[in-house]
Amino acid sequence: MILTHKTGVLLHGTLAKDPVLKDVGQKQVLKFDVKAHSVKTGTGNWEGLYVQVNVWHGLDKWDGLLLKGDAVTVFARELKSREYNGKTYYDVDADDIQPGGMVIFRWMQNLIDLCTEAPAPPEPALTQEPTPFDEPVPVQTSLSGGQMYPGEDLADYAPRAFQAAAPAGPAAGTPEADTLIDDDADDLPF
């Protein structure tokens, strides 16, 4: 089906053959023929009207997605025609392509197949080494309701007030404090 209007052309049909990506100078074009119309003649033969579609933009989106027999709707600015050996040939430069419903269903099924065929995850290697997720088993002690872990001592839970305070360094801003900083050290963040 071909609809022409002053604002453009709408072409609907099926692909007569698989699309082909061709180099044209420094650009590439995706070409395919759309069977837009077919009628049975008085002799019983079928005659079809074919339109060549040239896709110049978005080639990466369409290359390999359309196949022979797929239904498509093509939007273009104008329908061009030319005569050669007594036959008329038609072509359009596509502005937009809309695939038919069955094409979309095939794409969705391909996507589902890709998602469901995920490779099996690798089996984790069993090891006797402790991991960060291994938790020590708590041990009940004589503390009233408290818990201690293996290797801990009751003194670990005692108040630390009896320990001597760490010696205080020189006051900030004094020459003694400034000598403690090594500006040439490699561990400074600036």
Side-chain angles (χ1 to χ4, degrees):
M1 170 176 64
I2 300 175
L3 298 174
T4 58
H5 190 264
K6 62 182 178 183
T7 59
V9 177
L10 183 134
L11 167 69
H12 180 77
T14 57
L15 270 64
K17 57 185 176 181
D18 288 341
V20 177
L21 188 62
K22 293 187 177 183
D23 290 320
V24 181
Q26 294 181 353
K27 294 183 105 181
Q28 287 188 321
V29 61
L30 184 70
K31 293 180 172 262
F32 55 89
D33 293 332
V34 173
K35 183 178 180 182
H37 177 69
S38 63
V39 293
K40 195 170 190 179
T41 62
T43 61
N45 295 331
W46 286 93
E47 287 186 6
L49 175 64
Y50 295 89
V51 178
Q52 183 182 40
V53 177
N54 303 313
V55 183
W56 296 94
H57 304 287
L59 300 179
D60 55 336
K61 296 176 188 172
W62 292 109
D63 188 26
L65 292 178
L66 296 174
L67 302 173
K68 177 181 177 179
D70 287 348
V72 293
T73 302
V74 177
F75 302 95
R77 290 194 181 116
E78 69 174 309
L79 179 67
K80 302 172 197 167
S81 64
R82 61 183 171 85
E83 295 286 330
Y84 182 74
N85 287 343
K87 286 182 91 176
T88 305
Y89 295 90
Y90 298 96
D91 67 290
V92 295
D93 291 332
D95 290 328
D96 189 26
I97 303 170
Q98 296 294 317
M102 294 305 290
V103 177
I104 294 173
F105 287 140
R106 183 182 73 229
W107 294 349
M108 289 172 44
Q109 186 61 50
N110 288 343
L111 184 62
I112 291 169
D113 292 345
L114 286 174
C115 292
T116 57
E117 293 178 7
E123 291 292 324
L126 297 177
T127 175
Q128 298 299 325
E129 297 177 16
T131 66
F133 302 105
D134 294 339
E135 293 186 24
V137 178
V139 177
Q140 190 70 34
T141 65
S142 62
L143 293 173
S144 58
Q147 291 182 351
M148 287 181 33
Y149 293 98
E152 292 182 327
D153 198 31
L154 188 56
D156 293 334
Y157 293 96
R160 309 261 185 232
F162 63 89
Q163 292 181 348
T174 62
E176 294 83 21
D178 292 339
T179 59
L180 294 177
I181 297 175
D182 183 9
D183 291 332
D184 295 329
D186 291 335
D187 62 342
L188 293 176
F190 47 91

